[in-house]
Amino acid sequence: WAWVACTVELKLPGRTPAPTQADKPAPAASGCSEPGGGSAPPPFSNPFAPAALGGASMKRLLRLLKGALLLGAASALLPARPRRSPPSMIRSRAARAASASVGGRMAEGLCLLGLTGGIAMGKSTVAAYLRETLGVPLHCSDEAVAELYSPGGAAVPVVAQLVPAAVADGAVDKKVLSQAIMEDPGLLPQLEALVHPLVAQVRVNFMDAAQREHWLAVLDVPLLFESDPHWRAHAMNARNGVESLAPVPGTRPLDVSAVIAMYAPEDVQRERALSRGNMTAEKFDLIAQKQTTNAFRAQHSDFVADTSHPWSFAPSRGAVAQAIETLRYSPAWRRSYRSWANGGARGVKAITFDIDKTLCPLFPPLLLAKEAIEDAMTRHMPAAKRVMEEWREGDEKPLDRWIRQARERFPDVSYDLTDLRIASLEIAAAETGDDPAAAHMCMRAFLKVRAFSANEHAYDEVLPCFELLQSKYPEMVVAALTNGNCHATGEGLAFSEETGIAATEQPVGDVAVPAPFGLMDFCITARDAGDFKPGVTPYLAAAAAAQRARSQRGTDSGDEVRPGDIVHVGDDLFTDVAGSLAAGCRAVYVKREPGWPELSELPEHLARVIRRGLGLADGADVAHLIEDFFPEYETRCLQVASLAELDAAIEPWINAA
């Protein structure tokens, strides 16, 4: 108890102080960092040193210690209860190697990630990314309540007892219920006492099902801290500005394995909420008073996703991808992940291809796309184009300079090459006086030419390879998986206005791309996945997309597509071969040129992936971990000189299934 009391003043390693509105917390390091990147945990500091405590702090500490000793003496008279080990907690890449002991649901093999955040924090967008893009099972408390309030829902009779007027046609009218609570706030705790147990039961049922299907599941609970009996008082004290003892370090609300909090400054949060049609300032204030502060969530969460970026989802998507990467490599979960990913070696259901230097050369399509963006700048950003034309030999090219400045200004956007280029063009517009909205129109021209020119420059053997795979294995999913922004199959390249400038306009559909790329089922970019290869989320996204493709064509056999069901084909030993093996896939290395690395050099790249995953410095000795992370990797990868050899090479894998 004395130690628990001391943690009020102690900054624990791996935790960050509560952010203020002017000093928001940095999000978890995104996957675009170099191996060994990310910020180290705060240094351990001893606030009990004489120089660290003033008179008032010393008196308060003595009072806390006195009370703690009394509680400790009293607890000695109580029956002993088993101690629960805290779950694994990792804050950044640099801290991954220091994962803690196993606890909570870890012994059952399910990693439970708590997703939380206040109103208008972007949880729904992040939840859709987790559930739809990555295929992670997700329980949403708001959706559970909506189901309980629907006709025949278990909460309908409960609400009818409290607020009869709020029930109509066998369902709860949430507008009427909300108005009743506004008029009589005392109804809210009564309603929560009756409805929360029903939601908890839905949550338990979800976890039992997820445990049989996945290594990871997400609980989307806006009131994650507030709904846990051990955390509620501390969370609400933070809202009321009252100092209180924190729960035992290492424990997490609702027994989740780790927590990721959505964060934005409160002024941004308020502006977003009030922009909703059904929200008023009075209603927002009432809701906010029932929730803890954004700073409290950020301080007590393992990961923080910054959702305050005005126009890009990349920072929050990258932070979530980084959280999953961290959990996948932590000692507590690496075996659970591998067991799920391989799924009993059920066969090959999908083949994914890297694009640049695997399906087509890199530079001809890229140079044509740059010409397209410069041509669009002539029409939409003439001042910036003039600056580019005035460039002198020996100076940094303006387009390169603007991209460099965008990387420096928005490091958490760097993996999203589309948003990065848009940011660079907006910097150019600010410098030259052009319309910043024109950046989006110029980027559309780049993306279209990038996709179509890559298709036109496809290697000669690509079309015969795709046609052979489709005819020989009609149920096989064939797709692209790239670190670039080549939307090879035309997803999201159709806009309703092709000539106007509308910065916020969203794509209205896809553009038909001819063969050979048009024969593929889908294309996943780093922007879609939230990280570059060799990160794990690109391969999770590919597995989820392959599952959807099989369902759409009616070849879904009822079991999900997992990374172990995928063969990934690429030209890079690090991002393609080592990365796909780390995710649980099989890998084919395409060595087109004699001077390219040999497959025998793969162990060096496997070690690089391990260092990246564990946040270790370059050169750290991890040879002893290769077998742990990549068991029998020699039997799961092979080499070909071109795609003409692919079918014969992978046929034994397919026939073995």
Side-chain angles (χ1 to χ4, degrees):
W1 279 105
W3 176 75
V4 172
C6 293
T7 60
V8 174
E9 299 289 341
L10 187 64
K11 290 187 177 72
L12 294 172
R15 298 284 180 173
T16 56
T20 63
Q21 196 154 303
D23 183 24
K24 63 185 178 184
S30 65
C32 59
S33 304
E34 292 297 322
S39 58
F44 182 86
S45 59
N46 182 5
F48 302 104
L53 290 176
S57 297
M58 180 63 75
K59 290 179 182 178
R60 184 168 66 254
L61 175 61
L62 291 176
R63 288 198 301 270
L64 289 170
L65 289 175
K66 181 179 178 181
L69 291 173
L70 291 174
L71 288 171
S75 67
L77 303 176
L78 299 175
R81 61 181 178 181
R83 176 174 297 180
R84 183 182 67 192
S85 299
S88 172
M89 186 282 292
I90 309 159
R91 182 97 187 165
S92 66
R93 276 188 176 170
R96 288 181 193 170
S99 50
S101 58
V102 176
R105 297 183 61 85
M106 289 186 177
E108 302 176 26
L110 178 66
C111 179
L112 204 55
L113 178 62
L115 170 64
T116 190
I119 182 175
M121 276 293 168
K123 293 186 305 300
S124 298
T125 305
V126 169
Y129 162 69
L130 285 162
R131 176 189 281 165
E132 298 169 13
T133 302
L134 302 185
V136 178
L138 183 140
H139 164 82
C140 177
S141 293
D142 290 343
E143 292 176 2
V145 171
E147 184 68 22
L148 292 169
Y149 283 177
S150 63
V156 175
V158 170
V159 175
Q161 293 178 1
L162 285 177
V163 188
V167 176
D169 298 326
V172 175
D173 188 326
K174 290 194 287 186
K175 290 185 178 180
V176 175
L177 182 60
S178 177
Q179 184 61 36
I181 294 173
M182 291 277 291
E183 296 172 358
D184 182 6
L187 287 173
L188 184 59
Q190 300 178 54
L191 185 67
E192 290 176 341
L194 296 171
V195 174
H196 281 185
L198 300 176
V199 177
Q201 185 57 53
V202 175
R203 183 167 61 242
V204 169
N205 296 341
F206 162 81
M207 290 188 293
D208 289 341
Q211 182 180 340
R212 297 188 295 269
E213 300 170 359
H214 219 280
W215 74 283
L216 173 68
V218 176
L219 296 185
D220 177 1
V221 186
L223 303 181
L224 183 67
F225 290 99
E226 299 90 332
S227 59
D228 185 283
H230 301 293
W231 281 86
R232 178 175 175 80
H234 311 290
M236 298 317 298
N237 282 343
R239 166 59 65 187
N240 298 324
V242 177
E243 180 180 2
S244 66
L245 290 173
V248 177
T251 62
R252 285 159 185 79
L254 300 185
D255 273 345
V256 298
S257 311
V259 179
I260 182 166
M262 305 297 102
Y263 178 86
E266 293 192 1
D267 57 337
V268 174
Q269 177 190 20
R270 186 181 187 88
E271 181 181 354
R272 284 179 183 168
L274 294 181
S275 66
R276 299 176 177 177
N278 61 344
M279 184 60 63
T280 64
E282 181 184 10
K283 185 177 180 180
F284 173 81
D285 291 336
L286 178 63
I287 294 173
Q289 286 303 313
K290 300 299 180 182
Q291 300 181 353
T292 189
T293 62
N294 301 336
F296 180 90
R297 292 190 197 91
Q299 181 182 5
H300 294 285
S301 295
D302 302 288
F303 309 98
V304 176
D306 186 350
T307 65
S308 63
H309 199 290
W311 50 263
S312 177
F313 180 48
S316 50
R317 183 170 45 207
V320 175
Q322 184 59 63
I324 293 176
E325 180 94 346
T326 296
L327 294 171
R328 179 263 177 271
Y329 278 94
S330 67
W333 306 118
R334 64 180 63 155
R335 287 179 175 81
S336 293
Y337 174 85
R338 188 171 67 208
S339 176
W340 167 81
N342 291 334
R346 298 170 300 175
V348 179
K349 299 177 181 177
I351 303 174
T352 58
F353 293 84
D354 177 54
I355 295 178
D356 297 324
K357 297 197 291 185
T358 298
L359 298 180
C360 64
L362 171 62
F363 285 108
L366 188 59
L367 293 176
L368 289 171
K370 289 185 68 175
E371 291 178 7
I373 204 171
E374 292 180 10
D375 180 64
M377 290 176 70
T378 302
R379 291 177 283 117
H380 302 300
M381 300 180 65
K385 187 59 166 59
R386 283 194 296 272
V387 171
M388 295 169 60
E389 292 170 348
E390 294 169 359
W391 169 76
R392 296 180 180 178
E393 190 71 34
D395 295 338
E396 185 179 15
K397 292 184 177 180
L399 205 56
D400 295 339
R401 172 168 58 84
W402 292 325
I403 291 178
R404 174 180 56 78
Q405 291 172 345
R407 288 185 188 276
E408 294 170 353
R409 190 174 303 180
F410 306 110
D412 46 4
V413 177
S414 293
Y415 77 88
D416 186 337
L417 300 183
T418 296
D419 276 0
L420 183 69
R421 281 193 177 273
I422 291 174
S424 71
L425 293 174
E426 290 184 340
I427 290 173
E431 178 183 312
T432 62
D434 286 321
D435 183 358
H440 293 258
M441 182 59 65
C442 295
M443 195 61 206
R444 292 180 203 171
F446 176 95
L447 292 174
K448 276 195 173 182
V449 173
R450 181 77 171 90
F452 280 87
S453 60
N455 186 53
E456 292 168 0
H457 285 82
Y459 295 123
D460 292 340
E461 76 271 15
V462 172
L463 180 58
C465 173
F466 285 179
E467 291 176 337
L468 177 61
L469 291 175
Q470 287 192 338
S471 62
K472 194 171 182 179
Y473 312 108
E475 296 185 358
M476 187 74 68
V477 174
V478 177
L481 183 59
T482 176
N483 275 354
N485 56 359
C486 177
H487 297 257
T489 50
E491 290 100 335
L493 296 184
F495 289 82
S496 58
E497 292 191 28
E498 295 298 332
T499 56
I501 296 175
T504 59
E505 185 189 358
Q506 298 299 311
V508 296
D510 304 335
V511 173
V513 176
F517 287 3
L519 298 178
M520 293 190 289
D521 291 282
F522 60 82
C523 175
I524 299 291
T525 68
R527 172 189 177 92
D528 301 320
D531 195 3
F532 289 126
K533 298 173 294 183
V536 69
T537 54
Y539 299 99
L540 295 180
Q547 177 68 43
R548 290 193 297 272
R550 286 170 60 86
S551 298
Q552 291 169 1
R553 65 170 62 166
T555 58
D556 185 4
S557 57
D559 53 348
E560 63 176 335
V561 177
R562 301 181 183 182
D565 303 324
I566 296 174
V567 172
H568 181 66
V569 183
D571 66 279
D572 192 290
L573 282 178
F574 176 52
T575 61
D576 291 313
V577 181
S580 60
L581 290 173
C585 308
R586 295 181 179 91
V588 176
Y589 173 47
V590 182
K591 184 178 181 296
R592 291 189 175 277
E593 302 293 339
W596 288 10
E598 297 291 341
L599 189 59
S600 59
E601 301 175 32
L602 181 59
E604 173 188 341
H605 298 282
L606 298 178
R608 289 177 62 194
V609 169
I610 294 174
R611 294 188 198 102
R612 182 185 190 268
L614 295 177
L616 302 177
D618 293 344
D621 184 12
V622 293
H624 60 291
L625 295 176
I626 290 180
E627 183 59 32
D628 185 30
F629 279 100
F630 305 96
E632 301 178 349
Y633 71 87
E634 298 94 339
T635 65
R636 299 182 62 83
C637 62
L638 49 85
Q639 176 177 312
V640 297
S642 75
L643 297 186
E645 303 174 5
L646 180 64
D647 174 60
I650 66 175
E651 189 173 22
W653 286 342
I654 298 175
N655 291 338

